[in-house]
Amino acid sequence: MALQIKQHSTITELPAQQWARLLTHDNPFVSHAFLAALEHNGCVGAALGWQPCFLGAWEDGVLFGAVPMYLKENSYGEFVFDWSWADAYRHFGNSYYPKLVVASPYTPATGPRLLLAEDAPATLGRQLIDAAIAEARGRGLSSLHWLFPAQDELPLLESAGMLRRVGVQYHWLNPGYRDFQDYLDALTAAKRKMIRRERRKVAEQGVEIERRFGNELSDSEWRVVYALYAEIYQRKWGFPTLNETFFREVGETMGDQVLVVLAYHDRRCVAGAIDFVGGGVLYGRHWGCFGNYDSLHFELCYYQGIELAIERGLQRFEPGAQGEHKISRGFLPQFTWSAHWLAHPGFRRAVERYLRTEAQEMERYAAELSQHSPFRETP
């Protein structure tokens, strides 16, 4: 097979019908609809430091593989923190930016990054990794970073000379609960009591909860949902990188892969959480609230998601990065990964030493946190 690997400055050069050939395991964040919506609505681009430069492997006009890759001018929106690496690189008179990043923008969720057709040659995954490294080297860049890849990609990445990095998130796993009460019964008495108390407080405040899928919301409802999403950034002096038209587009194009959990008080929408669904996994992504309601964050961001996961038989609920408070609600430590190619040999050796120490610390950290499991028997 005479495959040709090309670099693409926009996903529109990789049409949706061709992208559909690639095995993405129903992961919403590498779907054509999600990545295209980011571009259509100006959520990525040179101005934001996420400039698309996808790789595509073609033969006779047929796409056999792709890699979602971006030229980055900063480290915002990656959730694998390398600010200290950039500082160290700059300290010795070198420019860390721009760099190349293989990722789904603004999304700390594990998923496929080597997108391969079922009939792709067995060697294509390694060829695409080598092409990404060659792109970084050819541009004279400091580094290439492969963020939150599926675990089965790690051996290929390491065989290409990339350094593995370990992280920790907190995920809820579903062993086959019949309903929410069955889940509660698996917890210790103290944690079961805590969750019941938090849910009761929400009801006692007169708050009503409603679940809606993306294609069920009107433009005016999306306007409110976006205002809720933007509120937390504005309150914390941040910048809401996603915009209202992006949410409306994914709501329309991704349908029931977008879940919005809304809270109403006195007939007014006062809070909302935005989740995505795919591949047997629920992903919690965004949350916002007008006002101060006791325990409402836990209800919208955790308990409603757990209920939905049980109802739909989903295997896992990933509520996003960070947050040790999630452990007491049934979200246990799970490892995540990234892989890194660094051009400067001396810098690579220093980072490699650092990553060995960091990995040991992450393993100790996860083991220690696991001792605080709220379950009577750890799933």
Side-chain angles (χ1 to χ4, degrees), residues 107-122:
T107 308
T110 295
R113 302 292 180 257
L114 287 171
L115 312 181
L116 304 172
E118 192 170 14
D119 54 349

Side-chain angles (χ1 to χ4, degrees), residues 99-345:
K99 61 181 183 176
L100 282 178
V101 169
V102 174
S104 180
Y106 318 116
T107 308
T110 295
R113 302 292 180 257
L114 287 171
L115 312 181
L116 304 172
E118 192 170 14
D119 54 349
T123 59
L124 182 55
R126 177 58 190 269
Q127 287 178 268
L128 284 166
I129 295 170
D130 289 342
I133 294 173
E135 187 73 18
R137 184 180 282 115
R139 290 173 179 251
L141 304 181
S142 69
S143 51
L144 164 70
H145 307 267
W146 207 280
L147 307 183
F148 298 101
Q151 188 174 5
D152 60 7
E153 294 178 11
L154 291 172
L156 274 181
L157 292 165
E158 290 180 300
S159 72
M162 300 188 73
L163 303 176
R164 180 193 297 211
R165 190 177 189 184
V166 180
V168 172
Q169 289 184 354
Y170 309 95
H171 300 168
W172 181 89
L173 306 177
N174 183 8
Y177 294 118
R178 296 185 301 275
D179 50 31
F180 195 86
Q181 182 59 51
D182 193 26
Y183 152 67
L184 287 179
D185 290 342
L187 302 175
T188 63
K191 299 307 182 186
R192 188 163 56 242
K193 182 178 180 181
M194 177 195 73
I195 292 173
R196 284 173 172 157
R197 182 174 64 250
E198 289 173 344
R199 304 200 83 181
R200 186 170 62 249
K201 284 180 179 178
V202 172
E204 289 171 351
Q205 293 168 98
V207 174
E208 297 181 351
I209 309 298
E210 185 177 311
R211 291 188 216 144
R212 305 277 291 282
F213 288 100
N215 53 4
E216 297 174 340
L217 271 68
S218 66
D219 283 352
S220 61
E221 288 172 319
W222 272 120
R223 196 168 301 121
V224 173
V225 171
Y226 175 73
L228 287 163
Y229 157 78
E231 180 273 339
I232 195 167
Y233 289 90
Q234 294 160 354
R235 175 160 45 90
K236 295 186 176 182
W237 304 97
F239 176 72
T241 48
L242 305 177
N243 53 39
E244 183 183 332
T245 55
F246 164 80
F247 285 116
R248 288 211 307 263
E249 180 172 333
V250 295
E252 179 181 346
T253 59
M254 298 180 70
D256 62 2
Q257 282 193 295
V258 182
L259 172 70
V260 181
V261 186
L262 300 171
Y264 292 88
H265 185 243
D266 291 336
R267 299 184 180 180
R268 173 176 172 261
C269 184
V270 296
I274 303 172
D275 303 331
F276 286 80
V277 186
V281 184
L282 176 67
Y283 301 91
R285 290 303 300 117
H286 309 289
W287 139 270
C289 184
F290 302 140
N292 186 19
Y293 294 85
D294 194 345
S295 301
L296 188 54
H297 174 264
F298 302 136
E299 179 64 35
L300 263 60
C301 296
Y302 305 143
Y303 305 142
Q304 287 291 322
I306 290 173
E307 280 193 339
L308 180 83
I310 294 172
E311 290 169 9
R312 289 196 157 202
L314 303 179
Q315 300 166 356
R316 192 167 69 254
F317 177 17
E318 300 184 14
Q322 305 173 334
E324 294 177 2
H325 62 279
K326 296 169 183 171
I327 295 174
S328 62
R329 293 163 179 90
F331 297 84
L332 300 182
Q334 303 289 325
F335 290 121
T336 60
W337 301 273
S338 57
H340 308 267
W341 175 85
L342 303 160
H344 191 288

